Amino acid sequence: MELLAPAGGEEQLDYAIRFGADAVYLACERFGMRARATNFSIQDLPRVVVKAHDAGVKVHLTCNVMMHAEDIAQLPPFLEQAQSAGVDALIIGDLGAAALARKHAPDVQLHVSTQASVCNAETAKVWHSLGASRIVAAREMSLCELAALKRAMPQGMELEAFAHGAMCVAYSGRCLISDFLNGRSGIRGNCAQSCRWQYALMESWNQGKFFPVEEDGKSSYILNADDLCMLEHLDELREAGIDSIKIEGRTKKAYYVACVVNAYRQVLDGAPAAQFMPELESVSHRPYSTGFYFGPAHQTPQNLVYFRNTVWAAQVLDSEAAEDGLWRIRFKCRGKFAPTDALELLSPHMPVRPVRMTHLMHDPLSRAVVLTDGGTSGWKPRREEPYAVDIADHPAEYYFALIDLPAKPYDIIRAIPAS
């Protein structure tokens, strides 16, 4: 079963690859459903594909917005560039776009987006006749329905399903609320998350007085859907015939991608789910549920709650063995922390381990910006040599320290805040 991870930017791509994704899905500046992600330029796409392929990772390019006439007109050269770049699949939900993809990118697999709301075998057969090799199932389907769909699909056609991440209150993501309230179209990739807002009724004739929208006397997040988490049910997804499980999150940061991909990779490879469920608590998330897989999906109408019990403290840049069984590391600070905090080391294909840090030193030269002509920004530190500090409190600057575990570049050190 393929593990498909989001790559909303270069750093997310790197961590998805490093922590075990079999494939990544990403977008360029146009035609993707996450306009607010960092995304990639079409000029960068060949380099990105080479990076992924060199690591044995496939690249799926999203092209799944609701297509208007001007989009269709500009699509052929985009599709030709995608094929030239060597992407493995195009994720498309529009029939016209699919027809153009078969004409202008015939060597690229066609995957049918969840935006197409495919939830029966007859629709899958039609898409297959148009050249599609994979269906990304509608999110409203139960596990039993997915298994039946897979059995009835054309021989060799693959089935992909979401396994983790944010859920949308609208049918397969087809929502018009954001467009109506903000002019930001969700089905064109620029959703304002209007379903997460706190709503109130206003009686305009009574001096603009607001009245809360209540449900049993509670708060008013009436459209707020729980997040999906299927880590404990991967065997059931596999038995249903799912070929690829998808992690939602192209607007998420690299730390989220690393932790979630790591958890799913390790459980797919045989680790017990109970060992890695805490990993999914470590990143920002809403209350977890199993979506529609085993019954109606759950919502949290009481409030908009996000949970996270760790902080990305350091990104390891270099490491070398030191004396007394310690390792000297150079790292980029990602969040304020102290060596005395409870720290953990996150490395690919390894259990998460407590790590002890000592001899923290700040590199003052990391503040200077190197210019293209070889000079610097002109910032002159008062000290040029690293000096001892009690805390790392300058995100994006560099530090040195000793730790009691071996680490590799791009490993993650995280802090567990005191409760």
Side-chain angles (χ1 to χ4, degrees):
M1 195 160 58
E2 177 186 80
L3 177 58
L4 178 58
E10 192 82 32
E11 190 174 43
Q12 294 93 321
L13 171 69
D14 290 340
Y15 275 97
I17 292 172
R18 177 169 176 75
F19 279 89
D22 298 306
V24 295
Y25 65 104
L26 50 83
C28 292
E29 305 101 323
R30 293 288 309 276
F31 310 121
M33 281 295 295
R34 293 294 182 269
R36 289 179 293 140
T38 304
N39 295 321
F40 298 87
S41 70
I42 191 68
Q43 291 76 22
D44 277 341
L45 197 55
R47 174 189 61 79
V48 169
V49 171
V50 168
K51 175 190 283 191
H53 284 179
D54 284 349
V57 174
K58 294 181 179 180
V59 176
H60 302 178
L61 181 63
T62 63
C63 189
N64 58 345
V65 296
M66 189 71 72
M67 295 285 174
H68 289 197
E70 60 269 23
D71 300 314
I72 291 294
Q74 297 174 31
L75 201 53
F78 175 85
L79 295 169
E80 291 167 3
Q81 287 175 289
Q83 174 165 292
S84 179
V87 300
D88 299 282
L90 290 160
I91 304 174
I92 289 179
D94 182 273
L95 282 170
L100 289 176
R102 293 300 82 208
K103 179 179 180 181
H104 295 278
D107 298 330
V108 182
Q109 288 187 10
L110 174 60
H111 295 179
V112 182
S113 171
T114 191
Q115 293 295 117
S117 304
V118 176
C119 52
N120 66 79
E122 293 305 313
T123 303
K125 291 173 184 177
V126 172
W127 277 107
H128 186 260
S129 72
L130 298 174
S133 60
R134 177 183 292 190
I135 296 294
V136 186
R139 299 197 204 187
E140 296 76 25
M141 297 184 71
S142 70
L143 190 64
C144 290
E145 290 172 328
L146 286 168
L149 172 61
K150 176 62 177 180
R151 289 193 298 268
M153 285 168 57
Q155 186 70 27
M157 195 177 200
E158 295 179 336
L159 183 59
E160 178 183 310
F162 281 89
H164 192 91
M167 296 286 284
C168 183
V169 73
Y171 190 84
S172 288
R174 294 191 175 197
C175 180
L176 303 177
I177 298 175
S178 176
D179 200 359
F180 176 77
L181 294 177
N182 286 286
R184 286 173 52 175
S185 173
I187 57 176
R188 291 181 61 76
N190 201 21
C191 181
Q193 298 285 301
S194 305
C195 57
R196 312 290 182 189
W197 295 359
Q198 184 174 11
Y199 286 94
L201 292 174
M202 186 179 74
E203 192 175 33
S204 60
W205 54 265
N206 190 15
Q207 299 179 347
K209 183 178 179 181
F210 283 87
F211 296 90
V213 177
E214 294 183 344
E215 182 174 286
D216 296 331
K218 297 181 181 179
S219 297
S220 54
Y221 297 95
I222 57 175
L223 302 177
N224 185 40
D226 287 354
D227 281 1
L228 174 65
C229 177
M230 290 292 287
L231 187 72
E232 298 176 311
H233 302 281
L234 297 185
D235 287 342
E236 291 156 281
L237 291 174
R238 186 183 287 109
E239 291 169 5
I242 305 301
D243 298 285
S244 176
I245 56 169
K246 189 171 194 171
I247 297 170
E248 185 275 339
R250 278 191 293 122
T251 59
K252 300 291 189 179
K253 302 300 183 183
Y255 178 60
Y256 177 95
V257 173
C259 292
V260 176
V261 170
N262 182 57
Y264 277 84
R265 175 76 276 152
Q266 302 238 28
V267 176
L268 282 171
D269 290 345
Q275 180 181 347
F276 284 92
M277 273 302 297
E279 285 300 287
L280 303 181
E281 300 292 341
S282 70
V283 295
S284 180
H285 66 282
R286 305 175 191 93
Y288 285 132
S289 76
T290 54
F292 290 90
Y293 282 109
F294 303 107
H298 297 118
Q299 292 179 260
T300 307
Q302 298 83 7
N303 49 37
L304 181 57
V305 176
Y306 286 90
F307 303 98
R308 184 181 68 178
N309 58 21
T310 64
V311 174
W312 189 3
Q315 177 185 34
V316 177
L317 301 178
D318 299 296
S319 175
E320 62 179 6
E323 56 188 26
D324 299 326
L326 301 177
W327 279 261
R328 181 177 294 105
I329 63 168
R330 177 172 173 261
F331 67 85
K332 181 179 181 179
C333 178
R334 302 301 299 244
K336 181 178 178 180
F337 75 99
T340 54
D341 292 340
L343 302 176
E344 293 179 333
L345 180 65
L346 185 64
S347 306
H349 313 297
M350 296 284 289
V352 179
R353 296 156 292 166
V355 64
R356 184 171 58 88
M357 179 182 289
T358 59
H359 297 81
L360 179 65
M361 303 185 75
H362 179 234
D363 179 7
L365 294 179
S366 64
R367 292 188 182 181
V369 178
V370 178
L371 305 178
T372 55
D373 61 4
T376 68
S377 62
W379 184 86
K380 300 297 182 183
R382 286 178 293 177
R383 297 187 251 187
E384 294 188 357
E385 295 296 323
Y387 57 93
V389 293
D390 294 326
I391 60 173
D393 58 355
H394 295 290
E397 295 184 18
Y398 298 161
Y399 291 78
F400 298 91
L402 295 178
I403 60 174
D404 63 347
L405 290 175
K408 295 181 180 179
Y410 296 98
D411 279 3
I412 288 172
I413 296 175
R414 66 189 184 197
I416 305 173
S419 57

